[in-house]
Amino acid sequence: MLTLTSVWTTILLAAAVALGPLATDMYLPALPQIGSDFGTGTDQVQLTLSLYMVGFAIAQLICGPLADRFGRKPIMIGGFVLFAIASIGCALATNIETLILCRFLQALGGSAGPVLGRAAVRDIYTPREAAKILAILASIMALAPAIAPTIGGLMTASLGWSSVFLALGGYALVMAVVVAFGIPEPMRPEHRQSLKLCSLLRNYRTIARDISFLGYTLTNALIFSGLFAFLSGSSFVLIDFLGVPTEQFGLYFACMVAGYVVGNLTAVRLGSRLLPDQILVRGLLIAMAGGGLMAALAVSEVFNVWAVILPQALFMIGTGMVLPQTMAGAMANFPTMAGSASALFGFTQMAIAAVAGMLVGHLHDGTSLVMATIIAACAALAMGCYLLLVQRYPAEGFEPQSATSS
């Protein structure tokens, strides 16, 4: 079994957390085909994505406190097993209602990886170290969404969309074995929390009343919502509107992921000489530039693939800089209840993202305009949260230190 600070432990945690993006990105090229097979519209097909996020959000409020009581590993393993079972249900679905239900169940299990991966990083590292580790972890994780749409597109074109869900179920079972036998339990025994309802509510109230936590969480959630708006609308815009072949969808999607990796690596590089909040504001400015450019092009009726992909890649550079800093900042003040803090953080992130995704589905006009406008609005609102909350109430672990301030 690996040591907690091993590079391989970080890689395995990234692989476990990657189940979340895999469950959304791998089947994106199949969305138009699913709609055609079931005879449903864009809004109903998009619910398989948005309601997945709703289930993902709700489940985190449950698995976080369970992990604070019983440890990270058993909850994560149980979540992977549930995800695998629900994936088989998705593959066997014969109508859109069954698929939506199984996607919701899939989310209940899939939430364990991301929420407990964040908690494990907080268990092992200090807040400032955690920001760097989360950026490295995110870079590794980015390999999944970089290749997942390409693989999903090829599988959909040759084997049908059901094969994508069978592959996801197999991945979840492999990760259950890896976590069981490859990673030590990161939670310290003295940090175990009570499962009594009054204790849980008290913990959540304590976390929710922390202004620093709220600032980082809302900033993160809004930037993530811009990303999710793209995930919700990209297949319909690129495949249906702009005519990109299903099997080539992943190649364009990889450009967006490349931007995310660049942002992550930039955050790691700047981490040795800038404070996390200084990296955060730079990332927000870049994300606003990308979102604003895409919206401006759409309003000007410049409709082509690169008018969508290049601005989104710029947005993703900013996103790659913002997400690790806001994750670490939100978790910084809660070392003894990291699971609950990560759960509330994830719930807020996914709930707001689900709203953005539903708006894309319901307002979609057949072009890139709605998607682009929502991405730009999310970036602007994220900057507003930073200025009103984060800048005034930075996380204690992110305060200037003589050896690192600039």
Side-chain angles (χ1 to χ4, degrees):
M1 191 166 285
L2 301 171
T3 60
L4 286 174
T5 55
S6 165
V7 172
W8 284 106
T9 298
T10 300
I11 293 174
L12 290 178
L13 281 175
V17 174
L19 186 62
L22 275 175
T24 55
D25 299 341
M26 194 168 178
Y27 94 121
L28 289 179
L31 290 179
Q33 184 61 54
I34 290 172
S36 176
D37 287 353
F38 290 150
T40 59
T42 300
D43 55 342
Q44 284 186 292
V45 176
Q46 198 276 333
L47 283 177
T48 65
L49 197 57
S50 290
L51 288 184
Y52 175 90
M53 302 302 280
V54 172
F56 208 94
I58 294 171
Q60 291 186 74
L61 294 178
I62 300 171
C63 72
L66 286 175
D68 279 345
R69 177 65 182 88
F70 298 109
R72 316 305 183 203
K73 285 182 60 173
I75 308 304
M76 193 179 290
I77 293 168
F80 288 148
V81 172
L82 175 58
F83 181 96
I85 295 172
S87 296
I88 296 173
C90 290
L92 299 177
T94 57
N95 55 64
I96 193 66
E97 291 79 14
T98 301
L99 181 59
I100 290 172
L101 174 61
C102 289
R103 281 285 289 171
F104 184 81
L105 294 176
Q106 197 183 39
L108 299 184
S111 67
V115 68
L116 301 184
R118 288 191 299 265
V121 170
R122 182 62 186 92
D123 291 333
I124 300 168
Y125 299 98
T126 65
R128 295 195 67 182
E129 291 172 338
K132 297 179 183 178
I133 295 298
L134 284 167
I136 295 171
L137 187 145
S139 296
I140 299 170
M141 278 176 57
L143 293 174
I147 62 175
T150 300
I151 295 173
L154 291 172
M155 292 179 70
T156 299
S158 58
L159 301 173
W161 58 264
S162 295
S163 63
V164 174
F165 290 107
L166 292 176
L168 287 171
Y171 182 90
L173 290 177
V174 170
M175 289 314 306
V177 174
V178 168
V179 170
F181 299 103
I183 302 176
E185 173 58 56
M187 183 181 179
R188 297 179 183 179
E190 63 270 22
H191 286 173
R192 292 187 184 273
Q193 299 287 314
S194 171
L195 268 183
K196 293 180 180 179
L197 181 60
C198 59
S199 297
L200 295 180
L201 294 177
R202 183 168 59 250
N203 287 349
Y204 277 134
R205 184 174 66 248
T206 298
I207 296 166
R209 292 172 66 180
D210 187 289
I211 303 300
S212 175
F213 173 85
L214 290 176
Y216 287 105
T217 298
L218 290 174
T219 302
N220 177 287
L222 287 162
I223 283 293
F224 185 80
S225 294
L227 165 59
F228 191 70
F230 179 80
L231 296 180
S232 298
S234 59
S235 59
F236 299 104
V237 170
L238 295 178
I239 296 174
D240 285 350
F241 175 51
L242 298 175
V244 172
T246 300
E247 60 272 19
Q248 294 181 18
F249 174 82
L251 299 177
Y252 291 102
F253 197 86
C255 296
M256 181 203 74
V257 176
Y260 186 64
V261 173
V262 169
N264 288 151
L265 296 178
T266 301
V268 173
R269 184 177 181 85
L270 294 176
S272 60
R273 56 190 181 88
L274 295 180
L275 294 170
D277 283 356
Q278 293 174 318
I279 300 172
L280 170 57
V281 71
R282 286 163 171 77
L284 286 170
L285 290 171
I286 293 172
M288 286 182 64
L293 176 60
M294 189 193 300
L297 289 171
V299 170
S300 302
E301 298 186 352
V302 179
F303 295 130
N304 61 67
V305 171
W306 296 112
V308 173
I309 293 299
L310 293 181
Q312 182 64 21
L314 183 61
F315 176 88
M316 292 305 295
I317 292 174
T319 299
M321 296 172 67
V322 168
L323 295 189
Q325 317 309 317
T326 50
M327 288 180 194
M331 303 287 291
N333 295 341
F334 305 101
T336 63
M337 43 179 142
S340 295
S342 182
L344 190 57
F345 172 91
F347 172 83
T348 306
Q349 180 193 64
M350 297 301 173
I352 295 176
V355 173
M358 289 178 184
L359 287 174
V360 171
H362 284 286
L363 300 178
H364 181 58
D365 64 350
T367 73
S368 59
L369 179 61
V370 170
M371 182 183 75
T373 302
I374 291 175
I375 291 171
C378 287
L381 289 171
M383 176 60 84
C385 285
Y386 171 81
L387 295 174
L388 293 174
L389 298 174
V390 174
Q391 194 173 58
R392 297 182 182 183
Y393 304 95
E396 292 183 7
F398 286 1
E399 290 177 346
Q401 299 175 12
S402 58
T404 56
S405 61
S406 59

